[in-house]
Amino acid sequence: MAAEEEILAAKKDMSERQFRQEFLATFETYENRVAWSSNKEQNVVDLPQDIDTAIIHVGMDFNVNPATATVAVKLNDDAMLQIDELNIYSSNTDEICDEILNRYPRSKIFVYPYPAGHQRKTSANGNTDIKILENRGFIVKAPRRHDAVKDRINAANARLKNAEGVVNYLITKNCKHTIESLDKHTFKEGTGIPDKDSGYDHMFDALSYKLAFLYPIKKAQNNQNQPVRWGVAVS
């Protein structure tokens, strides 16, 4: 791929900060917020009256306090609208499945969970979290291994607003926990390590598992000393 084509493609699937760092060779200090590309004015919208929920896409973070999920629909090939969220305390995977099916009984449901759910077991009969999802009729999309945290964060920020200034992930105002997570989830001071102690990480994680799977930042082949884009390769 020619350098100009590579740069144009990078602008579409990188956040502005990542693009500046990797293509303009600027030194980017860690901004405190993990979701640095988001703000309420650009990403938060009113809930439309008519939403087609025939197909929904659920990002899920397996927890007990709280069990969390973000529910979105595709607006087109590039853009999504988050219409709902689940934030349930003292819960488990079976219960969050019950609630999703209660809210969306007629929907075809794709779930993008925490990858370690292939091993994590929360049910009395020893099923893994991902096996529970599959047994409940959900279509599970999860990599067999973790993406690098940096790649997942970059993928989410590129959807929230890319380097061209295009917003491809919108959130309706009723998703209060998600909005709060994007606003308050931070890195540990002076690092690129997300702070897991504040409690604001769960909704961002649920959102980013989905976005990183659907819209990974592609890794370019670089044989001519052209800019290289960080991220996960598409299988």
Side-chain angles (χ1 to χ4, degrees):
M1 182 182 287
E4 184 176 357
E5 293 173 339
E6 172 70 9
I7 289 171
L8 292 174
K11 283 185 174 181
K12 293 180 183 297
D13 67 12
M14 284 185 177
S15 70
E16 185 177 4
R17 191 184 83 168
Q18 186 190 6
F19 179 82
R20 290 197 308 263
Q21 178 173 301
E22 297 182 26
F23 281 83
L24 303 182
T26 63
F27 177 74
E28 299 292 327
T29 58
Y30 286 110
E31 300 175 26
N32 198 38
R33 290 171 60 237
V34 174
W36 62 78
S37 287
S38 72
N39 68 61
K40 294 177 183 177
E41 288 72 25
Q42 73 183 20
N43 294 104
V44 179
V45 297
D46 292 324
L47 181 67
Q49 290 185 345
D50 297 318
I51 302 171
D52 183 1
T53 57
I55 300 173
I56 61 172
H57 299 268
V58 180
M60 185 179 293
D61 189 21
F62 297 123
N63 295 291
V64 175
N65 284 307
T68 55
T70 59
V71 181
V73 296
K74 283 191 173 184
L75 300 175
N76 53 50
D77 288 342
D78 293 320
M80 303 189 84
L81 172 67
Q82 181 177 321
I83 60 171
D84 202 358
E85 64 181 13
L86 289 85
N87 191 71
I88 307 173
Y89 282 82
S90 300
S91 187
N92 56 44
T93 304
D94 280 306
E95 288 184 355
I96 203 166
C97 288
D98 288 340
E99 183 59 25
I100 292 170
L101 290 170
N102 181 56
R103 296 185 190 187
Y104 303 96
R106 298 179 180 85
S107 299
K108 184 176 183 179
I109 303 171
F110 290 85
V111 181
Y112 307 84
Y114 179 53
H118 285 291
Q119 292 83 38
R120 184 174 178 270
K121 298 180 180 181
T122 61
S123 67
N125 63 9
N127 279 335
T128 66
D129 285 318
I130 284 180
K131 181 56 68 175
I132 292 170
L133 295 174
E134 292 173 339
N135 289 344
R136 300 300 295 273
F138 299 141
I139 302 167
V140 179
K141 300 290 185 180
R144 297 298 301 184
R145 61 179 183 176
H146 290 281
D147 295 331
V149 174
K150 175 188 68 178
D151 293 338
R152 178 164 56 84
I153 291 172
N154 283 336
N157 276 288
R159 291 292 113 188
L160 292 163
K161 187 175 77 170
N162 68 19
E164 291 184 323
V166 177
V167 174
N168 280 314
Y169 196 80
L170 298 170
I171 304 162
T172 55
K173 291 179 180 178
N174 56 299
C175 299
K176 295 180 180 179
H177 295 287
T178 303
I179 296 167
E180 184 178 42
S181 176
L182 294 180
D183 189 47
K184 296 183 178 180
H185 184 29
T186 61
F187 293 108
K188 293 182 178 180
E189 185 175 355
T191 77
I193 302 170
D195 183 358
K196 293 286 188 178
D197 297 327
S198 66
Y200 295 117
D201 56 309
H202 302 304
M203 279 298 180
F204 178 84
D205 287 346
L207 178 154
S208 61
Y209 295 139
K210 172 179 60 189
L211 294 180
F213 189 96
L214 287 169
Y215 308 103
I217 295 179
K218 304 172 185 69
K219 184 179 291 184
Q221 298 297 320
N222 183 17
N223 298 320
Q224 298 178 344
N225 295 321
Q226 297 192 9
V228 175
R229 295 148 64 193
W230 298 348
V232 295
V234 179
S235 58

